[in-house]
Amino acid sequence: MNDPAIVTAAQRFSREEFASSYGWPFLVGEPSLSVPRTAMRTLVNAPALRGIDTILPDTHDEPAPATSHLLVLPVRKRQDVFPEMITIGRTANNDIVINDATVSKFHGFFRVVDDRLELVDAGSRNGTKVMGRALAPKQPMAVTPGTRIRFGTVDLVLHNPREAWDLIRARS
């Protein structure tokens, strides 16, 4: 989900001020999110509860945001758990939250190795693609600004802070 403070900062700060304040990369894309609209069957391992239709607690029946806005997601550590990785998924316990039905609860993660950024798919149900090629589960791939990444059906591009500022300002 977008951090309103980042969008506000991009509107208030110069390009250089924004880049010096936000020294991490950003995932930027169109917010064409896929959210389930009906009850889904949940498998339960309790005889009394088997076969009950429920709405998954981490999904919403809200309409997707208007396409005139950008989805701007900072690639940075926000949670205390798993300090060596920047987790990606649709639940709030991830560092990067993509609230989309095609994104797994824990979809994958970024990690910094020797001053380079790597992306790893955690064995997600709908997979991760980098520049159109499927990323093998648990196999790291180096990514750089300009890399197109697809989590499930959500297409994003990795940008440095200056490029993210340009995109935010162009849409404001």
Side-chain angles (χ1 to χ4, degrees), residues 43-142:
L43 300 176
V44 178
N45 195 19
L49 299 176
R50 284 194 187 121
I52 295 175
D53 287 334
T54 61
I55 298 290
L56 296 177
D58 53 336
T59 60
H60 305 282
D61 285 332
E62 301 168 2
T67 57
S68 63
H69 296 87
L70 285 177
L71 187 60
V72 180
L73 305 168
V75 179
R76 67 179 171 136
K77 190 72 190 151
R78 298 178 70 140
Q79 307 287 337
D80 292 334
V81 295
F82 306 114
E84 69 282 355
M85 61 176 104
I86 301 167
T87 60
I88 306 153
R90 74 170 188 268
T91 57
N93 63 334
N94 287 288
D95 299 304
I96 302 170
V97 177
I98 304 173
N99 190 12
D100 184 279
T102 65
V103 174
S104 295
K105 289 179 183 179
F106 172 52
H107 198 95
F109 58 92
F110 288 98
R111 66 180 171 206
V112 178
V113 178
D114 299 329
D115 292 333
R116 69 175 187 197
L117 191 62
E118 292 183 342
L119 174 62
V120 179
D121 182 275
S124 64
R125 181 179 198 119
N126 294 310
T128 303
K129 290 186 176 179
V130 175
M131 302 301 282
R133 295 183 55 195
L135 187 60
K138 314 262 194 266
Q139 297 299 312
M141 176 178 276

Side-chain angles (χ1 to χ4, degrees), residues 8-73:
T8 300
Q11 294 167 341
R12 288 193 359 226
F13 294 160
S14 72
R15 189 174 195 249
E16 291 309 312
E17 289 170 330
F18 182 84
S20 66
S21 298
Y22 298 94
W24 50 78
F26 291 86
L27 290 167
V28 181
E30 297 293 328
S32 58
L33 303 180
S34 174
V35 179
R37 299 287 181 220
T38 61
M40 299 176 69
R41 185 163 302 280
T42 301
L43 300 176
V44 178
N45 195 19
L49 299 176
R50 284 194 187 121
I52 295 175
D53 287 334
T54 61
I55 298 290
L56 296 177
D58 53 336
T59 60
H60 305 282
D61 285 332
E62 301 168 2
T67 57
S68 63
H69 296 87
L70 285 177
L71 187 60
V72 180
L73 305 168

